[in-house]
Amino acid sequence: MPVQEGGLRVFQSVRIKIGEAKNLPTYPGPNKMRDCYCTVNLDQEEVFRTKIVEKSLCPFYGEDFYCEIPRSFRHLAFYIFDRDVFRRDSIIGKVAILKEDLQKYHNRDTWFQLQHVDADSEVQGKVHLELRLSEVITDTGVICHKLATRVLECQGLPIVNGQCDPYATVTLAGPYRSEAKKTKVKKKTNNPQFDEVFYFEVTRPCSYNKKSHFEIEDADEVDKMEIRIDLRNASNLKFGDEFLGELRLPLKFLRQSSSYEAWYFLQPRDNGNKSLKPDDLGSLRLNVVYTEDHVFPSDYYSPLRDLLLKSADVEPVSASAAHILGEVCREKQEAAIPLVRLFLHYGKIVPFISAIANAEVKRTQDPNTIFRGNSLTSKCIDETMKLAGMHYLQVTLKPIIDEICQCHKSCEIDPVKLKDAENLENNRENLRQYVDRIFTVITKSGVSCPTVMCDIFFSLRESAAIRFQDDPDVRYTAVSSFIFLRFFAPAILSPNLFHLMPHHPDPQTSRTLTLISKTIQTLGSLSKSKSASFKESYMASFYDYFNEQKYADAVKNFLDLISSSGRRDHKSIEQPILLKEGFMIKRAQGRKRFGMKNFKKRWFRLTNHEFTYQKSKGDHPLCSIPIENILAVEKLEEESFKMKNMFQVIQPERVLYIQANNCVEAKDWIDILTKVSQCNKKRLTVYHPSAYLNGHWLCCKATADNAPGCTPCTGGLPANIQLDIDGDRETERIYSLFNLYMTKLEKMQEACGSKSVYDGPEQEEYSTFVIDDPQETYKTLKQIVASVKNLEQEHAQYKRDKFKKTKYGSQEHPIGDKSFQSYIRQQSEISAHSI
């Protein structure tokens, strides 16, 4: 959940690549090796744990982790643990990065030295205190000074070994004295409410008439005194209560004010112990991307958002705001991630990708290189498949990948890498069976492919076929370059990156998956000489198993299905593709009276263009339903006609009721009809699960035959695709990118001006930009710059207002908050500069 700051929502997220550790200290035993894992912690709270790498002092993890951060934190920490079977796992060392330092390492592979860990340094949380220095006059005219220390509460204390029973010790300490008092223990909470007051006598009594306040003999001693708050966890363990953090405040700061109330961050204890040299503990390679998005209310983003969302309609598309973002970003991936999420959220991803893909195809000269580069089109389709296709991968690949990881069958077919006890032919057979099964699962999964992916593939196929009309295979390779090369093959190779496994697989399993991935990728490529595409001779000979026409046919049928569309375009080059046919029994709605004559056996035929039925196979169709007229396909409750395995095809004017031969066939027909019709713009969201009989709907009893449905339709996009996307947050991220690359936007404006007046060779600094229409591009650039500068002013104003309102020592910004101290210095410099 985002944090609310006035009218703003603040989102924090972190993406981490945990690479490897090296030169860990040896285990003090005969083996000397360790079984290590790494944890990711927000302060002391563990949020992720890698797999255990056994028997290594240089463990490779290769794991990615992403999370939204729902709270404030001070450190992002990484701990390397050594597993111990009989005792608690021991900590070898840690890397702790202050929140304000995360930008130093943004998206860079960095080696960090592991630091020593001890209980006195492991601190998190904050404490709320009120201090009051009072002057007390006794009945005898004697004056003394007393300090009242009120411990109100703490927040965010660490949980130690699964529990937190905190208490506070309050100590007044000086060179020659120390007086301690203790709060009650608060059970089972890391946010204890103490609200206890402790009184301390600060100065010894003296004559009121002689001197007052600190003007006494031991004033110098008072300046050396401090109040110390120690937080501990009440433990039943024999080695005592655990230290949670401390706070030390010198009393001299109370000279300016007799009363002081504030929040403070707890600090580690400086106990004088010398830590080990960093080199003694080894190092850890990390790549950290921390993002903090400050999101305004939706109205603030309207100009920029509207400019982005109309990108698909801009002619040429290279002059659109979205395409320009891809041109100015250092990496196309930077632009693709927020663009895809924004367009998905507003249901405009298909026209946008269709537009940029069509433009790229027109620039492509060789059909063999179509969509092979890391262009904005490729990156946007990759990102869309990751978002829309996660569930698809889960149902398609996860069961068999789980089996491969659990069974550990040997599949090594490289004679050089073969172990002594292994048999090459057995390994080949194991691998062949795995490849065969995965290939079959993929090519039979067409009806499960998400609609948004099918729509995009249809667009790619159509653009490629129009551009390269002499190449009959280009309509397949345009789609296979994504679905096989960039979707299935990478998911098989690295299942942990596609959420099919929690961790990177072990070396043997990883090798098996690599061999499977290579073979599946080649099977899906439909290249002319597939064996020649392998560098390794053992892979080329293994591939001979699959040099049969049935594999190419299966790939083509699969690609036909996932790239078919319900859009009926009479000018379309796409030929009708037969998807399914067979006998079923049908009944149309609108009959006056129920009777057996209303149900008739017919031969049904479904292509990607129409759904028809006729008396017998090969006869002229009695009825043809265009795919775009199918508004929904749903099961029909058995009670309607006392018949099983029935479903309904809902059209604008009527409903066709059909009975399949069995439940499996009924499901197959429902799935494939739903698949080919899901792109229809007028698709229903609600339907009637029962029939309309005797003047009313049996399900909801509504009497009008055109009454809206009473039950939500099934099918469509997985519900989680759009729910997790915040359109305003994605627009804010796009604004941040434009702002970051403002100098490139200005260069692009110069390039447009140069092209408009000079038609000769391009200047080198302008040659990287794709500018098809300088005037239209310049117009869009001008609008982008204006929108970005307006948002920049809003952010600056917000920071100024926040600076004026924020109090250092408040609950949001406790004393000891280094990031806020840095922010205060920054704002003070800005204010001084503006003056």
Side-chain angles (χ1 to χ4, degrees):
M1 291 291 291
V3 178
Q4 289 288 148
E5 285 188 4
L8 243 69
R9 292 174 298 146
V10 181
F11 296 85
Q12 302 175 103
S13 64
V14 66
R15 189 180 301 277
I16 300 162
K17 292 182 180 178
I18 303 171
E20 60 190 308
K22 68 177 182 181
N23 302 328
L24 300 180
T26 57
Y27 184 76
N31 187 21
K32 297 190 177 180
M33 294 292 107
R34 294 181 183 269
D35 300 339
C36 296
Y37 61 91
C38 178
T39 67
V40 180
N41 295 55
L42 293 173
D43 298 319
Q44 301 301 301
E45 181 184 6
E46 182 181 319
V47 293
F48 177 72
R49 179 179 295 201
T50 69
K51 64 178 180 182
I52 296 171
V53 177
E54 297 181 340
K55 299 176 183 177
S56 176
L57 298 179
C58 297
F60 175 79
Y61 298 107
E63 300 206 27
D64 286 28
F65 170 67
Y66 172 84
C67 76
E68 297 283 331
I69 302 174
R71 63 170 178 83
S72 59
F73 69 100
R74 294 168 69 188
H75 293 90
L76 182 65
F78 304 84
Y79 292 80
I80 299 291
F81 283 85
D82 183 16
R83 180 183 62 179
D84 194 314
V85 177
F86 302 106
R87 294 176 296 177
R88 186 185 300 168
D89 297 348
S90 57
I91 300 176
I92 296 173
K94 75 170 181 180
V95 172
I97 309 172
L98 279 167
K99 178 182 175 181
E100 52 267 27
D101 291 339
L102 286 170
Q103 287 304 317
K104 293 179 186 176
Y105 312 105
H106 183 80
N107 204 18
R108 288 191 296 128
D109 274 10
T110 308
W111 283 98
F112 293 89
Q113 295 293 333
L114 291 173
Q115 304 294 324
H116 184 62
V117 177
D118 62 61
D120 290 341
S121 68
E122 298 297 280
V123 168
Q124 74 174 51
K126 52 192 175 185
V127 60
H128 188 193
L129 294 180
E130 182 182 354
L131 303 174
R132 185 180 298 275
L133 187 67
S134 303
E135 195 176 75
V136 180
I137 306 170
T138 64
D139 294 337
T140 57
V142 176
I143 184 173
C144 64
H145 294 83
K146 291 190 176 180
L147 176 69
T149 303
R150 184 183 180 193
V151 184
L152 288 102
E153 60 179 310
C154 291
Q155 283 190 354
L157 298 178
I159 295 173
V160 182
N161 300 326
Q163 59 108 33
C164 189
D165 298 335
Y167 67 90
T169 302
V170 184
T171 305
L172 180 67
Y176 307 109
R177 61 181 287 193
S178 179
E179 184 181 355
K181 299 181 181 183
K182 180 179 157 185
T183 68
K184 295 174 183 175
V185 175
K186 298 294 180 179
K187 293 283 188 180
K188 298 180 180 178
T189 177
N190 65 336
N191 299 307
Q193 301 280 331
F194 293 113
D195 201 9
E196 295 188 42
V197 183
F198 303 97
Y199 294 95
F200 298 93
E201 195 173 89
V202 177
T203 59
R204 60 175 180 263
C206 63
S207 167
Y208 179 74
N209 296 324
K210 185 178 177 183
K211 288 179 182 178
S212 64
H213 298 284
F214 287 103
E215 304 299 321
I216 53 175
E217 292 96 346
D218 58 355
D220 292 338
E221 302 297 331
V222 172
D223 279 353
K224 296 175 184 176
M225 296 177 76
E226 67 177 11
I227 193 79
R228 189 169 70 236
I229 314 294
D230 287 275
L231 269 295
R232 291 183 173 272
N233 178 47
S235 172
N236 297 321
L237 300 176
K238 60 183 179 182
F239 25 81
D241 297 344
E242 292 96 351
F243 173 78
L244 301 179
E246 72 170 16
L247 179 66
R248 297 181 177 225
L249 298 172
L251 285 193
K252 61 183 177 183
F253 85 96
L254 280 174
R255 284 179 178 274
Q256 288 79 32
S257 173
S258 61
S259 177
Y260 199 82
E261 178 187 348
W263 283 85
Y264 300 84
F265 273 132
L266 291 169
Q267 302 298 329
R269 181 166 55 193
D270 182 12
N271 56 12
N273 287 348
K274 292 184 179 179
S275 63
L276 296 175
K277 293 180 182 179
D279 292 342
D280 294 340
L281 299 174
S283 53
L284 180 64
R285 179 167 60 87
L286 301 168
N287 185 305
V288 179
V289 178
Y290 170 74
T291 307
E292 195 172 290
D293 299 316
H294 295 256
V295 181
F296 287 110
S298 191
D299 291 348
Y300 286 68
Y301 298 105
S302 292
L304 181 58
R305 182 176 57 238
D306 294 346
L307 198 60
L308 289 161
L309 291 177
K310 72 176 185 181
S311 293
D313 303 321
V314 174
E315 288 288 346
V317 72
S318 60
S320 69
H323 194 278
I324 289 170
L325 181 66
E327 289 298 297
V328 299
C329 283
R330 188 181 63 182
E331 303 284 345
K332 301 294 185 190
Q333 183 79 359
E334 278 185 296
I337 292 173
L339 283 175
V340 165
R341 295 175 69 85
L342 180 73
F343 283 110
L344 261 177
H345 180 70
Y346 287 100
K348 293 181 178 287
I349 191 65
V350 175
F352 169 63
I353 288 181
S354 298
I356 59 174
N358 193 41
E360 182 175 329
V361 168
K362 287 177 180 177
R363 289 193 293 268
T364 304
Q365 301 303 315
D366 183 355
N368 294 316
T369 63
I370 194 165
F371 300 126
R372 290 301 168 96
N374 286 323
S375 63
L376 181 64
T377 305
S378 299
K379 292 298 182 184
C380 282
I381 296 174
D382 288 352
E383 194 60 30
T384 303
M385 290 192 299
K386 278 184 183 176
L387 285 170
M390 278 302 168
H391 179 70
Y392 180 34
L393 285 177
Q394 292 281 332
V395 298
T396 308
L397 293 182
K398 190 173 187 337
I400 191 165
I401 284 181
D402 285 345
E403 182 186 325
I404 292 169
C405 294
Q406 289 162 9
C407 293
H408 287 96
K409 285 184 182 179
S410 181
C411 295
E412 182 55 71
I413 58 172
D414 183 355
V416 177
K417 296 182 179 179
L418 211 62
K419 295 177 183 175
D420 293 339
E422 292 179 346
N423 181 284
L424 184 59
E425 287 307 313
N426 287 346
N427 289 4
R428 279 171 170 257
E429 181 57 22
N430 289 340
L431 184 61
R432 188 193 65 76
Q433 288 181 9
Y434 279 145
V435 170
D436 236 341
R437 287 175 60 193
I438 287 182
F439 178 80
T440 303
V441 163
I442 290 172
T443 53
K444 296 285 187 185
S445 70
V447 294
S448 301
C449 185
T451 307
V452 68
M453 288 170 61
C454 293
D455 266 2
I456 290 169
F457 295 151
F458 170 73
S459 175
L460 300 182
R461 169 191 178 127
E462 194 172 54
S463 295
I466 292 172
R467 174 73 175 86
F468 301 104
Q469 295 185 22
D470 296 333
D471 189 330
D473 288 333
V474 75
R475 65 177 187 167
Y476 294 116
T477 54
V479 178
S480 68
S481 64
F482 286 103
I483 195 70
F484 282 102
L485 189 67
R486 293 173 175 265
F487 188 63
F488 283 121
I492 295 166
L493 182 65
S494 303
N496 55 307
L497 300 183
F498 289 80
H499 306 293
L500 298 174
M501 286 178 63
H503 302 297
H504 189 72
D506 62 77
Q508 181 183 322
T509 305
S510 185
R511 175 65 177 163
T512 299
L513 293 174
T514 300
L515 296 171
I516 295 170
S517 178
K518 282 184 177 183
T519 314
I520 291 294
Q521 182 175 318
T522 307
L523 277 166
S525 68
L526 294 171
S527 58
K528 302 291 188 295
S529 63
K530 295 180 179 178
S531 296
S533 64
F534 292 109
K535 297 175 186 175
E536 310 92 342
S537 58
Y538 63 85
M539 283 301 298
S541 61
F542 171 71
Y543 195 80
D544 288 340
Y545 284 125
F546 304 98
N547 267 333
E548 295 181 34
Q549 188 59 36
K550 68 176 184 179
Y551 290 102
D553 291 343
V555 169
K556 286 186 175 181
N557 287 338
F558 169 67
L559 296 175
D560 278 335
L561 179 55
I562 64 170
S563 61
S564 62
S565 170
R567 291 193 184 86
R568 186 71 179 274
D569 181 3
H570 296 289
K571 296 179 183 178
S572 173
I573 59 160
E574 185 182 17
Q575 295 299 311
I577 301 162
L578 178 63
L579 301 175
K580 191 172 177 63
E581 60 182 348
F583 275 114
M584 291 189 289
I585 294 170
K586 67 94 183 174
R587 178 195 190 272
Q589 185 182 313
R591 307 289 185 180
K592 293 182 180 178
R593 188 182 299 275
F594 176 81
M596 287 305 296
K597 63 180 180 180
N598 296 327
F599 289 90
K600 295 179 181 177
K601 190 174 183 179
R602 294 288 182 257
W603 180 261
F604 284 83
R605 194 170 186 270
L606 174 66
T607 71
N608 57 324
H609 285 183
E610 60 185 358
F611 183 46
T612 62
Y613 63 80
Q614 52 237 43
K615 279 191 175 182
S616 299
K617 185 176 181 179
D619 289 352
H620 185 75
L622 298 172
C623 176
S624 174
I625 304 171
I627 295 300
E628 60 263 32
N629 282 358
I630 298 177
L631 306 184
V633 182
E634 298 289 347
K635 287 182 180 178
L636 187 72
E637 289 181 353
E638 188 178 325
E639 291 302 310
S640 296
F641 299 108
K642 311 296 182 188
M643 296 166 67
K644 293 185 176 182
N645 307 319
M646 289 203 71
F647 63 93
Q648 51 185 318
V649 178
I650 304 170
Q651 306 158 69
E653 301 298 330
R654 55 184 287 192
V655 180
L656 180 65
Y657 296 125
I658 302 171
Q659 184 187 35
N661 295 324
N662 54 60
C663 61
V664 174
E665 194 172 292
K667 183 182 184 304
D668 287 347
W669 275 105
I670 292 171
D671 285 348
I672 201 162
L673 279 162
T674 300
K675 184 55 56 187
V676 296
S677 64
Q678 268 188 333
C679 55
N680 293 344
K681 292 180 180 178
K682 295 182 180 179
R683 189 169 172 81
L684 297 179
T685 56
V686 290
Y687 77 106
H688 292 285
S690 293
Y692 183 80
L693 293 173
N694 302 321
H696 67 274
W697 293 97
L698 299 181
C699 43
C700 59
K701 309 305 180 189
T703 54
D705 61 356
N706 60 351
C710 56
T711 303
C713 287
T714 56
L717 284 174
N720 61 351
I721 288 179
Q722 294 188 13
L723 293 180
D724 291 341
I725 297 174
D726 186 306
D728 295 334
R729 184 182 183 184
E730 302 309 325
T731 313
E732 168 65 27
R733 285 185 170 179
I734 292 169
Y735 148 75
S736 299
L737 287 171
F738 275 134
N739 203 29
L740 179 65
Y741 294 110
M742 182 58 74
T743 54
K744 278 197 174 183
L745 285 173
E746 291 165 352
K747 283 281 181 200
M748 202 169 179
Q749 282 182 308
E750 292 173 16
C752 288
S754 174
K755 282 198 167 212
S756 295
V757 298
Y758 174 64
D759 202 27
E762 287 186 283
Q763 293 184 35
E764 189 177 345
E765 60 181 331
Y766 301 150
S767 62
T768 56
F769 300 125
V770 174
I771 302 174
D772 297 319
D773 185 332
Q775 290 185 335
E776 194 65 31
T777 305
Y778 186 84
K779 178 182 167 186
T780 306
L781 281 163
K782 195 174 178 182
Q783 291 174 294
I784 291 170
V785 171
S787 298
V788 169
K789 289 193 171 175
N790 283 338
L791 281 168
E792 190 181 9
Q793 288 174 4
E794 295 291 351
H795 277 284
Q797 185 60 48
Y798 169 77
K799 286 178 180 177
R800 286 193 293 270
D801 293 344
K802 181 183 175 184
F803 178 65
K804 290 175 186 175
K805 295 175 185 175
T806 303
K807 177 188 172 187
Y808 188 47
S810 64
Q811 186 174 354
E812 294 77 19
H813 300 287
I815 294 171
D817 183 351
K818 292 183 181 178
S819 62
F820 185 67
Q821 288 173 316
S822 171
Y823 171 73
I824 288 176
R825 283 195 301 272
Q826 201 176 55
Q827 292 303 309
S828 299
E829 288 166 9
I830 291 170
S831 300
H833 179 71
S834 63
I835 290 168

